[in-house]
Amino acid sequence: MKIFIAKTSGFCMGVRRAVEMVLDAPDQHANPIFTYGPLIHNPQVLSLLQSKDITILDEIPDQGSGTVLIRAHGVPPITKQGLKEADFKVIDATCPRVIKVQTIIRKHAKKNYASIIIGDKDHPEVIGLLGYARQKGYVIGTIEELEALPVFENAIIVAQTTQNTQFFDAVKSWAAANHPHYKIFNTICDSTERRQAEVKRLAEAVDAVIVVGGRNSGNTRRLTEIARETGIPAYHIESETDLKAIDLDVLSSARHIGITAGASTPNWIIKKVYRALEALQVKRKNNWRRILFGLQRGLLLTNIYVSLGAGCLSYACSKLQGFSQFFPYVLIAMLYVQSMHILAHLTGNKADQFNDPERASFYEKYKRLLTVLAIAAGGAGLVIAFTLGLFPFLLLLVMSLLGLSYNRILVPKRFISARYRRIRDIPGSKTILIAMAWGVVTALLTPLSLADKPHWITGLIFLWAAGLVFARTAFFDILDMQGDRIVGKETIAILLGEKRSLSLLKIILILLMAALFVLSAFHLISYLGFFLISSPILLLLLLSAYEQGILLPSVKLELLVETNFLLAGAIAFLWALVN
Ligand code: SF4
Protein backbone atom coordinates (compact mmCIF):
# COMPACT_ATOMS: atom_id res chain seq x y z
CA MET A 1 0.00 0.00 0.00
CA LYS A 2 1.35 3.41 -0.94
CA ILE A 3 0.08 6.47 0.89
CA PHE A 4 -0.04 9.94 -0.63
CA ILE A 5 -0.80 13.17 1.20
CA ALA A 6 -2.28 16.04 -0.80
CA LYS A 7 0.07 19.03 -0.81
CA THR A 8 -2.82 21.39 -0.09
CA SER A 9 -4.06 19.51 2.99
CA GLY A 10 -4.19 21.21 6.37
CA PHE A 11 -4.32 24.78 7.64
CA CYS A 12 -4.99 27.40 5.00
CA MET A 13 -3.41 30.84 5.23
CA GLY A 14 -6.41 32.36 7.04
CA VAL A 15 -6.66 29.68 9.72
CA ARG A 16 -2.90 29.57 10.27
CA ARG A 17 -2.87 33.35 10.67
CA ALA A 18 -5.71 33.27 13.21
CA VAL A 19 -4.04 30.45 15.22
CA GLU A 20 -0.77 32.38 15.31
CA MET A 21 -2.52 35.59 16.33
CA VAL A 22 -4.28 33.92 19.23
CA LEU A 23 -1.08 32.22 20.41
CA ASP A 24 0.73 35.58 20.44
CA ALA A 25 -2.19 37.39 22.08
CA PRO A 26 -1.42 36.64 25.79
CA ASP A 27 1.97 38.38 25.50
CA GLN A 28 0.78 41.28 23.38
CA HIS A 29 -2.73 42.20 24.51
CA ALA A 30 -4.79 42.73 27.64
CA ASN A 31 -5.64 39.45 29.38
CA PRO A 32 -7.83 37.42 29.69
CA ILE A 33 -7.96 36.36 26.05
CA PHE A 34 -11.11 34.99 24.44
CA THR A 35 -11.93 33.74 20.98
CA TYR A 36 -15.37 34.63 19.70
CA GLY A 37 -16.60 31.07 19.18
CA PRO A 38 -14.24 28.07 18.92
CA LEU A 39 -11.12 28.99 16.96
CA ILE A 40 -11.05 25.65 15.13
CA HIS A 41 -13.01 22.46 15.59
CA ASN A 42 -10.31 20.44 17.26
CA PRO A 43 -10.79 19.39 20.90
CA GLN A 44 -7.04 18.99 21.55
CA VAL A 45 -6.27 22.50 20.36
CA LEU A 46 -9.19 23.93 22.29
CA SER A 47 -8.13 22.29 25.56
CA LEU A 48 -4.57 23.47 25.00
CA LEU A 49 -5.80 27.01 24.45
CA GLN A 50 -7.84 26.64 27.62
CA SER A 51 -4.72 25.58 29.52
CA LYS A 52 -3.20 28.89 28.34
CA ASP A 53 -6.28 30.67 29.72
CA ILE A 54 -7.59 31.37 26.22
CA THR A 55 -11.27 30.57 26.42
CA ILE A 56 -14.32 30.75 24.19
CA LEU A 57 -16.77 33.61 24.39
CA ASP A 58 -20.15 32.53 23.04
CA GLU A 59 -22.24 35.54 23.99
CA ILE A 60 -21.36 39.16 24.44
CA PRO A 61 -21.87 40.22 28.08
CA ASP A 62 -23.00 43.74 29.05
CA GLN A 63 -19.59 44.44 30.46
CA GLY A 64 -16.37 42.57 29.74
CA SER A 65 -12.63 42.92 30.14
CA GLY A 66 -9.63 41.64 28.25
CA THR A 67 -9.26 40.84 24.58
CA VAL A 68 -11.49 39.01 22.12
CA LEU A 69 -10.14 37.53 18.91
CA ILE A 70 -12.48 37.30 15.94
CA ARG A 71 -11.93 34.06 14.03
CA ALA A 72 -10.92 33.71 10.37
CA HIS A 73 -14.63 33.35 9.41
CA GLY A 74 -15.34 36.94 10.48
CA VAL A 75 -18.47 38.29 12.20
CA PRO A 76 -21.28 40.73 11.31
CA PRO A 77 -20.32 44.38 11.97
CA ILE A 78 -22.91 44.58 14.73
CA THR A 79 -21.08 41.83 16.66
CA LYS A 80 -17.76 43.62 16.40
CA GLN A 81 -19.42 46.80 17.58
CA GLY A 82 -21.08 44.93 20.46
CA LEU A 83 -17.72 43.54 21.62
CA LYS A 84 -16.20 47.02 21.64
CA GLU A 85 -19.16 48.48 23.50
CA ALA A 86 -18.76 45.77 26.13
CA ASP A 87 -15.22 47.16 26.66
CA PHE A 88 -13.28 44.33 25.07
CA LYS A 89 -10.20 45.00 23.07
CA VAL A 90 -10.91 43.36 19.70
CA ILE A 91 -8.27 41.64 17.57
CA ASP A 92 -9.70 40.99 14.17
CA ALA A 93 -8.28 37.75 12.73
CA THR A 94 -10.86 37.67 9.92
CA CYS A 95 -9.12 36.18 6.90
CA PRO A 96 -8.18 38.90 4.38
CA ARG A 97 -10.00 36.90 1.69
CA VAL A 98 -13.21 36.90 3.75
CA ILE A 99 -12.78 40.65 4.31
CA LYS A 100 -12.71 41.03 0.53
CA VAL A 101 -16.15 39.38 0.25
CA GLN A 102 -17.48 41.48 3.12
CA THR A 103 -16.26 44.60 1.32
CA ILE A 104 -17.96 43.62 -1.97
CA ILE A 105 -21.26 43.08 -0.16
CA ARG A 106 -20.96 46.28 1.92
CA LYS A 107 -20.19 48.47 -1.12
CA HIS A 108 -23.08 47.09 -3.16
CA ALA A 109 -25.54 47.06 -0.26
CA LYS A 110 -24.87 50.79 0.10
CA LYS A 111 -26.04 51.19 -3.52
CA ASN A 112 -29.16 49.18 -2.72
CA TYR A 113 -28.09 45.94 -4.38
CA ALA A 114 -29.43 42.64 -3.06
CA SER A 115 -26.71 40.15 -2.10
CA ILE A 116 -27.16 36.52 -3.00
CA ILE A 117 -24.70 34.42 -1.05
CA ILE A 118 -24.03 30.86 -2.18
CA GLY A 119 -23.31 28.97 0.99
CA ASP A 120 -24.47 27.31 4.15
CA LYS A 121 -26.82 29.62 6.06
CA ASP A 122 -25.65 28.34 9.45
CA HIS A 123 -21.97 28.75 8.71
CA PRO A 124 -20.31 31.53 10.77
CA GLU A 125 -18.70 33.04 7.67
CA VAL A 126 -22.10 33.31 5.94
CA ILE A 127 -23.70 34.75 9.09
CA GLY A 128 -20.91 37.34 9.11
CA LEU A 129 -21.39 38.15 5.40
CA LEU A 130 -25.14 38.59 5.84
CA GLY A 131 -24.40 41.25 8.42
CA TYR A 132 -22.96 43.46 5.65
CA ALA A 133 -25.96 43.10 3.32
CA ARG A 134 -28.25 45.64 5.07
CA GLN A 135 -31.27 43.29 5.35
CA LYS A 136 -31.01 42.50 1.64
CA GLY A 137 -28.98 39.32 1.91
CA TYR A 138 -30.20 35.90 0.71
CA VAL A 139 -28.42 32.62 1.28
CA ILE A 140 -28.94 29.82 -1.21
CA GLY A 141 -27.63 26.26 -1.12
CA THR A 142 -29.40 24.80 -4.19
CA ILE A 143 -30.57 25.91 -7.63
CA GLU A 144 -34.18 25.43 -6.42
CA GLU A 145 -33.58 27.94 -3.62
CA LEU A 146 -32.10 30.30 -6.16
CA GLU A 147 -35.13 29.96 -8.42
CA ALA A 148 -37.45 30.63 -5.51
CA LEU A 149 -35.89 34.08 -4.90
CA PRO A 150 -37.71 37.21 -6.15
CA VAL A 151 -36.27 38.94 -9.20
CA PHE A 152 -34.09 41.86 -8.13
CA GLU A 153 -33.53 45.04 -10.01
CA ASN A 154 -29.91 45.02 -8.90
CA ALA A 155 -28.18 42.06 -7.32
CA ILE A 156 -24.77 40.58 -6.77
CA ILE A 157 -23.92 36.92 -6.40
CA VAL A 158 -21.01 35.96 -4.16
CA ALA A 159 -19.96 32.67 -2.62
CA GLN A 160 -18.85 31.50 0.78
CA THR A 161 -15.06 31.23 0.38
CA THR A 162 -15.10 27.45 0.80
CA GLN A 163 -17.94 26.75 -1.68
CA ASN A 164 -17.87 23.96 -4.21
CA THR A 165 -16.56 25.42 -7.48
CA GLN A 166 -18.82 23.16 -9.56
CA PHE A 167 -21.94 24.47 -7.83
CA PHE A 168 -20.71 28.02 -8.22
CA ASP A 169 -20.29 27.43 -11.97
CA ALA A 170 -23.84 26.03 -12.14
CA VAL A 171 -25.17 29.17 -10.42
CA LYS A 172 -23.18 31.33 -12.81
CA SER A 173 -24.70 29.59 -15.83
CA TRP A 174 -28.19 29.87 -14.32
CA ALA A 175 -27.73 33.60 -13.70
CA ALA A 176 -26.34 34.19 -17.20
CA ALA A 177 -29.37 32.45 -18.69
CA ASN A 178 -32.04 33.97 -16.44
CA HIS A 179 -30.77 37.26 -14.99
CA PRO A 180 -27.81 38.46 -17.01
CA HIS A 181 -27.87 41.83 -15.19
CA TYR A 182 -26.85 40.20 -11.88
CA LYS A 183 -23.21 40.91 -11.05
CA ILE A 184 -21.29 37.77 -10.23
CA PHE A 185 -18.15 37.71 -8.11
CA ASN A 186 -16.17 34.52 -7.81
CA THR A 187 -15.20 34.82 -4.16
CA ILE A 188 -14.22 31.20 -3.68
CA CYS A 189 -10.83 31.25 -2.06
CA ASP A 190 -8.07 29.98 -4.35
CA SER A 191 -6.86 27.83 -1.46
CA THR A 192 -10.26 26.08 -1.57
CA GLU A 193 -10.14 25.81 -5.36
CA ARG A 194 -6.65 24.32 -5.31
CA ARG A 195 -7.62 21.92 -2.54
CA GLN A 196 -10.70 20.75 -4.44
CA ALA A 197 -8.82 20.41 -7.73
CA GLU A 198 -6.09 18.42 -6.01
CA VAL A 199 -8.49 16.03 -4.26
CA LYS A 200 -10.10 15.34 -7.64
CA ARG A 201 -6.71 14.55 -9.19
CA LEU A 202 -5.73 12.51 -6.15
CA ALA A 203 -8.99 10.52 -6.17
CA GLU A 204 -8.46 9.67 -9.84
CA ALA A 205 -5.02 8.26 -9.06
CA VAL A 206 -5.71 6.19 -5.89
CA ASP A 207 -8.04 3.41 -4.73
CA ALA A 208 -9.45 5.18 -1.67
CA VAL A 209 -9.33 8.65 -0.14
CA ILE A 210 -9.31 9.63 3.51
CA VAL A 211 -10.47 13.18 4.19
CA VAL A 212 -9.47 14.47 7.60
CA GLY A 213 -11.36 17.31 9.28
CA GLY A 214 -14.08 18.33 11.70
CA ARG A 215 -17.56 16.89 11.20
CA ASN A 216 -18.90 20.46 11.14
CA SER A 217 -16.38 21.62 8.63
CA GLY A 218 -18.17 22.39 5.38
CA ASN A 219 -14.99 22.47 3.30
CA THR A 220 -13.99 19.02 4.57
CA ARG A 221 -17.41 17.61 3.68
CA ARG A 222 -17.09 19.07 0.19
CA LEU A 223 -13.70 17.45 -0.29
CA THR A 224 -15.28 14.09 0.60
CA GLU A 225 -18.10 14.69 -1.89
CA ILE A 226 -15.66 15.55 -4.67
CA ALA A 227 -13.60 12.43 -3.98
CA ARG A 228 -16.74 10.26 -3.97
CA GLU A 229 -17.94 11.70 -7.25
CA THR A 230 -14.95 10.05 -8.91
CA GLY A 231 -16.44 6.68 -7.91
CA ILE A 232 -13.91 5.51 -5.34
CA PRO A 233 -14.54 5.02 -1.60
CA ALA A 234 -13.90 8.24 0.32
CA TYR A 235 -14.07 8.51 4.09
CA HIS A 236 -14.48 11.63 6.18
CA ILE A 237 -12.78 11.18 9.54
CA GLU A 238 -11.98 13.56 12.38
CA SER A 239 -8.92 11.78 13.66
CA GLU A 240 -7.01 8.51 13.37
CA THR A 241 -9.35 6.85 15.93
CA ASP A 242 -12.18 7.06 13.35
CA LEU A 243 -10.20 4.73 11.09
CA LYS A 244 -11.51 1.86 13.24
CA ALA A 245 -15.01 2.53 11.97
CA ILE A 246 -13.91 2.10 8.35
CA ASP A 247 -14.04 -1.23 6.59
CA LEU A 248 -10.39 -2.12 7.05
CA ASP A 249 -10.58 -4.73 4.30
CA VAL A 250 -11.25 -1.98 1.79
CA LEU A 251 -8.36 0.07 3.13
CA SER A 252 -5.90 -2.75 3.50
CA SER A 253 -6.65 -4.09 0.03
CA ALA A 254 -6.11 -0.65 -1.52
CA ARG A 255 -2.80 -0.38 -3.34
CA HIS A 256 -2.83 3.40 -3.19
CA ILE A 257 -4.49 5.57 -0.56
CA GLY A 258 -4.75 9.35 -0.69
CA ILE A 259 -5.06 11.61 2.34
CA THR A 260 -6.32 15.15 2.22
CA ALA A 261 -7.64 17.47 4.91
CA GLY A 262 -9.83 20.49 5.46
CA ALA A 263 -8.58 24.03 5.96
CA SER A 264 -8.79 23.89 9.75
CA THR A 265 -7.12 20.51 10.25
CA PRO A 266 -3.81 20.79 12.09
CA ASN A 267 -1.00 18.93 10.37
CA TRP A 268 -0.24 16.78 13.43
CA ILE A 269 -3.67 15.15 13.00
CA ILE A 270 -2.85 14.45 9.36
CA LYS A 271 0.47 12.98 10.51
CA LYS A 272 -1.31 10.77 13.05
CA VAL A 273 -3.65 9.46 10.35
CA TYR A 274 -0.67 8.80 8.10
CA ARG A 275 1.13 6.92 10.88
CA ALA A 276 -2.00 4.88 11.68
CA LEU A 277 -2.26 3.88 8.01
CA GLU A 278 1.46 3.15 7.97
CA ALA A 279 0.92 0.81 10.96
CA LEU A 280 -2.04 -0.82 9.20
CA GLN A 281 0.13 -1.37 6.17
CA VAL A 282 2.77 -3.02 8.35
CA LYS A 283 0.18 -5.32 9.99
CA ARG A 284 -0.58 -6.79 6.57
CA LYS A 285 3.02 -7.54 5.83
CA ASN A 286 4.80 -10.77 6.62
CA ASN A 287 6.28 -11.34 10.05
CA TRP A 288 9.75 -10.22 9.11
CA ARG A 289 8.63 -6.84 7.81
CA ARG A 290 6.45 -6.38 10.91
CA ILE A 291 9.32 -7.21 13.23
CA LEU A 292 11.60 -4.90 11.29
CA PHE A 293 9.15 -2.01 11.54
CA GLY A 294 8.69 -2.61 15.29
CA LEU A 295 12.44 -2.72 15.73
CA GLN A 296 12.95 0.53 13.83
CA ARG A 297 10.27 2.27 15.85
CA GLY A 298 11.66 0.85 19.11
CA LEU A 299 15.19 2.03 18.30
CA LEU A 300 13.88 5.52 17.55
CA LEU A 301 11.56 5.75 20.58
CA THR A 302 14.26 4.66 23.02
CA ASN A 303 16.80 6.96 21.33
CA ILE A 304 19.16 4.01 20.90
CA TYR A 305 19.41 4.75 17.18
CA VAL A 306 20.19 8.43 17.85
CA SER A 307 22.83 7.43 20.37
CA LEU A 308 24.39 5.00 17.86
CA GLY A 309 24.47 7.92 15.43
CA ALA A 310 26.34 10.07 17.97
CA GLY A 311 28.86 7.26 18.46
CA CYS A 312 29.36 6.96 14.71
CA LEU A 313 29.79 10.70 14.30
CA SER A 314 32.34 10.75 17.12
CA TYR A 315 34.23 7.90 15.44
CA ALA A 316 34.18 9.67 12.06
CA CYS A 317 35.44 12.93 13.63
CA SER A 318 38.26 11.06 15.43
CA LYS A 319 39.34 9.40 12.20
CA LEU A 320 39.15 12.70 10.31
CA GLN A 321 41.61 14.14 12.80
CA GLY A 322 43.81 11.04 12.75
CA PHE A 323 43.21 9.73 16.29
CA SER A 324 43.52 6.02 16.77
CA GLN A 325 42.33 5.97 20.39
CA PHE A 326 38.61 6.45 20.01
CA PHE A 327 36.62 3.77 21.83
CA PRO A 328 36.00 5.41 25.26
CA TYR A 329 35.18 8.72 23.58
CA VAL A 330 32.73 7.10 21.19
CA LEU A 331 31.09 5.44 24.19
CA ILE A 332 30.90 8.73 26.09
CA ALA A 333 29.26 10.45 23.09
CA MET A 334 26.69 7.64 22.86
CA LEU A 335 25.89 7.67 26.57
CA TYR A 336 25.65 11.46 26.72
CA VAL A 337 23.31 11.71 23.74
CA GLN A 338 21.24 8.77 24.97
CA SER A 339 20.81 10.36 28.37
CA MET A 340 20.09 13.92 27.20
CA HIS A 341 17.62 12.93 24.50
CA ILE A 342 15.62 10.74 26.89
CA LEU A 343 15.57 13.51 29.50
CA ALA A 344 14.50 16.07 26.90
CA HIS A 345 11.47 13.94 26.00
CA LEU A 346 10.68 13.23 29.65
CA THR A 347 10.75 16.85 30.76
CA GLY A 348 9.40 18.65 27.73
CA ASN A 349 7.09 16.23 26.00
CA LYS A 350 4.07 18.54 25.69
CA ALA A 351 4.82 19.08 22.02
CA ASP A 352 5.22 15.31 21.52
CA GLN A 353 1.52 14.94 22.33
CA PHE A 354 0.84 16.76 19.07
CA ASN A 355 3.86 15.93 16.97
CA ASP A 356 4.33 12.30 17.91
CA PRO A 357 1.62 11.01 20.25
CA GLU A 358 3.04 7.48 20.14
CA ARG A 359 6.30 8.81 21.54
CA ALA A 360 4.42 10.84 24.16
CA SER A 361 2.48 7.80 25.39
CA PHE A 362 5.63 5.64 25.31
CA TYR A 363 7.40 8.16 27.56
CA GLU A 364 4.37 8.40 29.82
CA LYS A 365 4.08 4.61 30.10
CA TYR A 366 7.75 3.90 30.74
CA LYS A 367 8.55 7.11 32.60
CA ARG A 368 10.35 5.42 35.52
CA LEU A 369 12.31 2.97 33.43
CA LEU A 370 13.39 5.69 31.02
CA THR A 371 14.37 8.00 33.88
CA VAL A 372 16.57 5.24 35.31
CA LEU A 373 18.02 4.59 31.86
CA ALA A 374 18.78 8.29 31.34
CA ILE A 375 20.44 8.64 34.75
CA ALA A 376 22.38 5.41 34.29
CA ALA A 377 23.59 6.45 30.82
CA GLY A 378 24.53 9.94 31.99
CA GLY A 379 26.27 8.57 35.11
CA ALA A 380 28.15 5.88 33.16
CA GLY A 381 29.38 8.51 30.69
CA LEU A 382 30.71 10.65 33.55
CA VAL A 383 32.45 7.68 35.20
CA ILE A 384 34.17 6.72 31.93
CA ALA A 385 35.16 10.37 31.39
CA PHE A 386 36.60 10.48 34.93
CA THR A 387 38.76 7.45 34.26
CA LEU A 388 40.17 9.30 31.23
CA GLY A 389 41.17 12.40 33.16
CA LEU A 390 39.90 15.50 34.87
CA PHE A 391 39.46 17.51 31.65
CA PRO A 392 37.09 15.09 29.86
CA PHE A 393 35.17 14.65 33.11
CA LEU A 394 34.72 18.39 33.67
CA LEU A 395 33.83 19.03 30.04
CA LEU A 396 31.18 16.31 30.12
CA LEU A 397 29.90 17.51 33.49
CA VAL A 398 29.43 21.04 32.17
CA MET A 399 27.66 19.71 29.06
CA SER A 400 25.41 17.50 31.18
CA LEU A 401 24.50 20.36 33.54
CA LEU A 402 23.76 22.55 30.54
CA GLY A 403 21.48 19.86 29.12
CA LEU A 404 19.74 19.34 32.47
CA SER A 405 19.13 23.04 32.97
CA TYR A 406 17.52 23.48 29.53
CA ASN A 407 13.94 23.18 30.81
CA ARG A 408 14.61 24.58 34.30
CA ILE A 409 13.76 28.08 35.50
CA LEU A 410 17.17 29.67 36.01
CA VAL A 411 16.36 33.34 36.50
CA PRO A 412 14.02 34.48 39.27
CA LYS A 413 11.04 36.41 38.00
CA ARG A 414 12.13 39.69 39.59
CA PHE A 415 15.38 39.88 37.59
CA ILE A 416 14.16 39.56 34.07
CA SER A 417 10.98 39.66 32.04
CA ALA A 418 8.98 36.44 32.56
CA ARG A 419 9.55 35.53 28.91
CA TYR A 420 13.20 34.46 29.14
CA ARG A 421 13.67 32.60 32.40
CA ARG A 422 14.73 29.22 31.01
CA ILE A 423 17.28 28.46 28.29
CA ARG A 424 14.46 26.93 26.27
CA ASP A 425 12.61 30.28 26.29
CA ILE A 426 15.31 31.77 24.07
CA PRO A 427 14.03 31.53 20.48
CA GLY A 428 15.87 28.89 18.47
CA SER A 429 17.91 27.77 21.49
CA LYS A 430 16.94 24.08 21.26
CA THR A 431 18.32 23.53 17.78
CA ILE A 432 21.52 25.48 18.43
CA LEU A 433 22.20 23.86 21.81
CA ILE A 434 21.66 20.32 20.54
CA ALA A 435 24.05 21.01 17.65
CA MET A 436 26.69 22.53 19.99
CA ALA A 437 26.36 19.73 22.55
CA TRP A 438 26.72 17.01 19.90
CA GLY A 439 29.61 18.96 18.36
CA VAL A 440 31.43 19.08 21.70
CA VAL A 441 31.05 15.39 22.57
CA THR A 442 31.64 14.07 19.07
CA ALA A 443 34.29 16.41 17.64
CA LEU A 444 35.98 18.20 20.55
CA LEU A 445 36.14 15.72 23.42
CA THR A 446 38.66 13.35 21.80
CA PRO A 447 41.17 15.92 20.48
CA LEU A 448 40.97 18.18 23.53
CA SER A 449 41.59 15.19 25.81
CA LEU A 450 44.32 13.53 23.76
CA ALA A 451 46.24 16.26 21.94
CA ASP A 452 48.93 18.22 23.77
CA LYS A 453 47.96 21.39 22.00
CA PRO A 454 44.59 21.90 20.28
CA HIS A 455 44.91 22.22 16.47
CA TRP A 456 42.86 24.83 14.64
CA ILE A 457 41.48 22.10 12.37
CA THR A 458 39.67 20.73 15.43
CA GLY A 459 37.58 23.91 15.46
CA LEU A 460 36.55 23.30 11.84
CA ILE A 461 35.70 19.66 12.48
CA PHE A 462 33.59 20.81 15.43
CA LEU A 463 31.73 23.23 13.16
CA TRP A 464 31.23 20.48 10.57
CA ALA A 465 29.78 18.02 13.11
CA ALA A 466 27.65 20.71 14.78
CA GLY A 467 26.44 21.88 11.33
CA LEU A 468 25.36 18.39 10.39
CA VAL A 469 23.48 17.96 13.68
CA PHE A 470 21.96 21.44 13.27
CA ALA A 471 20.60 20.45 9.84
CA ARG A 472 19.17 17.21 11.24
CA THR A 473 17.53 18.90 14.24
CA ALA A 474 16.20 21.89 12.31
CA PHE A 475 14.72 19.50 9.73
CA PHE A 476 12.83 17.71 12.52
CA ASP A 477 11.72 21.16 13.74
CA ILE A 478 10.24 21.80 10.30
CA LEU A 479 8.28 18.55 10.50
CA ASP A 480 6.98 19.50 13.97
CA MET A 481 6.22 23.17 13.31
CA GLN A 482 2.50 23.26 14.05
CA GLY A 483 2.73 21.15 17.23
CA ASP A 484 5.65 23.24 18.49
CA ARG A 485 3.84 26.48 17.68
CA ILE A 486 0.77 25.44 19.59
CA VAL A 487 2.72 24.69 22.79
CA GLY A 488 4.66 27.94 22.42
CA LYS A 489 8.05 26.55 21.35
CA GLU A 490 10.04 29.00 19.23
CA THR A 491 12.23 26.82 17.07
CA ILE A 492 14.32 28.03 14.14
CA ALA A 493 11.66 26.67 11.78
CA ILE A 494 8.96 28.73 13.50
CA LEU A 495 11.12 31.85 13.49
CA LEU A 496 12.01 31.59 9.80
CA GLY A 497 9.05 29.73 8.36
CA GLU A 498 9.25 26.45 6.44
CA LYS A 499 10.52 27.74 3.09
CA ARG A 500 13.29 29.91 4.50
CA SER A 501 14.32 27.20 6.96
CA LEU A 502 14.63 24.66 4.16
CA SER A 503 16.70 27.13 2.12
CA LEU A 504 18.94 27.83 5.12
CA LEU A 505 19.49 24.10 5.69
CA LYS A 506 20.37 23.58 2.04
CA ILE A 507 22.96 26.37 2.20
CA ILE A 508 24.45 24.92 5.40
CA LEU A 509 24.67 21.44 3.88
CA ILE A 510 26.34 22.76 0.73
CA LEU A 511 28.85 24.66 2.90
CA LEU A 512 29.54 21.47 4.87
CA MET A 513 30.25 19.60 1.64
CA ALA A 514 32.48 22.38 0.36
CA ALA A 515 34.38 22.58 3.66
CA LEU A 516 35.20 18.85 3.62
CA PHE A 517 36.21 19.02 -0.02
CA VAL A 518 38.56 21.97 0.46
CA LEU A 519 40.11 20.60 3.68
CA SER A 520 40.75 17.21 2.07
CA ALA A 521 41.97 18.69 -1.20
CA PHE A 522 44.53 20.81 0.66
CA HIS A 523 45.60 17.82 2.80
CA LEU A 524 44.51 19.59 5.96
CA ILE A 525 42.54 16.50 6.91
CA SER A 526 42.76 12.94 5.63
CA TYR A 527 41.16 11.82 2.34
CA LEU A 528 38.36 10.43 4.46
CA GLY A 529 36.90 13.95 4.15
CA PHE A 530 36.08 13.31 0.47
CA PHE A 531 34.04 10.24 1.37
CA LEU A 532 32.29 11.89 4.31
CA ILE A 533 30.77 14.39 1.89
CA SER A 534 28.12 11.70 1.34
CA SER A 535 26.62 12.51 4.77
CA PRO A 536 25.49 16.07 3.94
CA ILE A 537 24.55 14.80 0.45
CA LEU A 538 22.19 12.24 2.00
CA LEU A 539 20.58 14.93 4.18
CA LEU A 540 20.24 17.22 1.18
CA LEU A 541 18.53 14.46 -0.81
CA LEU A 542 16.15 13.78 2.08
CA LEU A 543 15.26 17.48 2.33
CA SER A 544 14.52 17.61 -1.38
CA ALA A 545 12.48 14.39 -1.26
CA TYR A 546 10.43 15.88 1.58
CA GLU A 547 9.97 19.16 -0.29
CA GLN A 548 8.72 17.33 -3.37
CA GLY A 549 6.37 15.15 -1.36
CA ILE A 550 8.31 11.96 -2.18
CA LEU A 551 9.04 11.35 1.50
CA LEU A 552 6.40 12.21 4.08
CA PRO A 553 6.84 12.69 7.84
CA SER A 554 7.03 9.07 8.97
CA VAL A 555 9.10 6.48 10.81
CA LYS A 556 10.93 5.88 7.54
CA LEU A 557 11.91 9.53 7.14
CA GLU A 558 13.03 9.84 10.77
CA LEU A 559 15.10 6.70 10.44
CA LEU A 560 16.71 7.85 7.20
CA VAL A 561 17.65 11.23 8.69
CA GLU A 562 19.28 9.57 11.71
CA THR A 563 20.99 7.04 9.42
CA ASN A 564 23.03 9.93 8.09
CA PHE A 565 25.35 9.67 11.15
CA LEU A 566 25.59 5.90 10.88
CA LEU A 567 26.60 6.37 7.28
CA ALA A 568 29.43 8.67 8.40
CA GLY A 569 30.55 6.01 10.92
CA ALA A 570 30.38 3.20 8.36
CA ILE A 571 32.39 5.19 5.81
CA ALA A 572 35.03 6.04 8.43
CA PHE A 573 35.21 2.37 9.45
CA LEU A 574 35.70 1.16 5.87
CA TRP A 575 38.27 3.86 5.26
CA ALA A 576 40.18 2.80 8.41
CA LEU A 577 40.10 -0.83 7.23
CA VAL A 578 41.77 -0.06 3.92
CA ASN A 579 44.29 2.45 5.28
S1 SF4 B 1 -10.25 29.01 3.18
FE1 SF4 B 1 -9.42 30.82 2.19
S2 SF4 B 1 -10.82 32.43 2.77
FE2 SF4 B 1 -11.23 30.78 4.16
S3 SF4 B 1 -9.95 31.22 5.91
FE3 SF4 B 1 -8.77 29.89 4.57
S4 SF4 B 1 -7.54 31.28 3.28
FE4 SF4 B 1 -9.19 32.46 4.22
Side-chain angles (χ1 to χ4, degrees), residues 225-405:
E225 282 161 22
I226 293 171
R228 279 191 192 137
E229 278 162 19
T230 63
I232 57 152
Y235 307 94
H236 178 173
I237 62 169
E238 270 194 340
S239 68
E240 76 288 357
T241 49
D242 293 348
L243 282 174
K244 290 183 195 129
I246 297 177
D247 183 355
L248 289 183
D249 281 345
V250 176
L251 280 192
S252 49
S253 61
R255 287 185 55 230
H256 298 114
I257 293 187
I259 302 176
T260 186
S264 56
T265 309
N267 73 357
W268 66 82
I269 297 189
I270 305 169
K271 266 202 284 184
K272 282 192 220 173
V273 171
Y274 178 87
R275 290 199 175 214
L277 285 174
E278 196 183 31
L280 178 74
Q281 178 185 12
V282 170
K283 267 188 204 156
R284 291 186 60 229
K285 286 187 172 158
N286 60 37
N287 281 345
W288 274 112
R289 307 271 302 260
R290 270 212 316 262
I291 292 168
L292 193 65
F293 182 81
L295 188 69
Q296 290 171 355
R297 191 69 180 130
L299 287 173
L300 289 173
L301 284 175
T302 52
N303 289 305
I304 291 174
Y305 203 66
V306 185
S307 126
L308 276 173
C312 286
L313 187 61
S314 164
Y315 176 71
C317 291
S318 296
K319 288 289 152 201
L320 261 183
Q321 297 175 81
F323 290 102
S324 50
Q325 191 190 342
F326 57 83
F327 184 69
Y329 301 99
V330 166
L331 203 56
I332 290 173
M334 286 175 66
L335 290 167
Y336 173 79
V337 166
Q338 174 80 51
S339 164
M340 289 300 127
H341 279 251
I342 292 181
L343 285 174
H345 285 294
L346 282 170
T347 54
N349 79 339
K350 234 179 178 182
D352 281 344
Q353 290 169 17
F354 296 98
N355 297 325
D356 191 349
E358 197 186 341
R359 188 185 292 275
S361 56
F362 178 81
Y363 274 78
E364 196 49 50
K365 194 168 169 191
Y366 300 108
K367 205 172 185 173
R368 279 200 191 150
L369 193 65
L370 288 163
T371 309
V372 172
L373 184 62
I375 294 170
L382 283 168
V383 170
I384 298 170
F386 189 71
T387 62
L388 296 171
L390 192 59
F391 178 77
F393 173 73
L394 287 177
L395 185 62
L396 194 68
L397 186 66
V398 170
M399 296 312 297
S400 304
L401 291 175
L402 199 66
L404 287 174
S405 56

Side-chain angles (χ1 to χ4, degrees), residues 336 399 402-403 405-406 423-424 426 428-440 469-470 473:
Y336 173 79
M399 296 312 297
L402 199 66
S405 56
Y406 182 71
I423 301 176
R424 83 157 200 215
I426 302 168
S429 58
K430 185 194 105 183
T431 325
I432 295 170
L433 275 182
I434 291 178
M436 304 280 284
W438 274 59
V440 169
V469 178
F470 180 89
T473 313

Side-chain angles (χ1 to χ4, degrees), residues 313 435-436 438-439 442 461-471:
L313 187 61
M436 304 280 284
W438 274 59
T442 59
I461 302 296
F462 163 76
L463 288 178
W464 180 77
L468 208 56
V469 178
F470 180 89

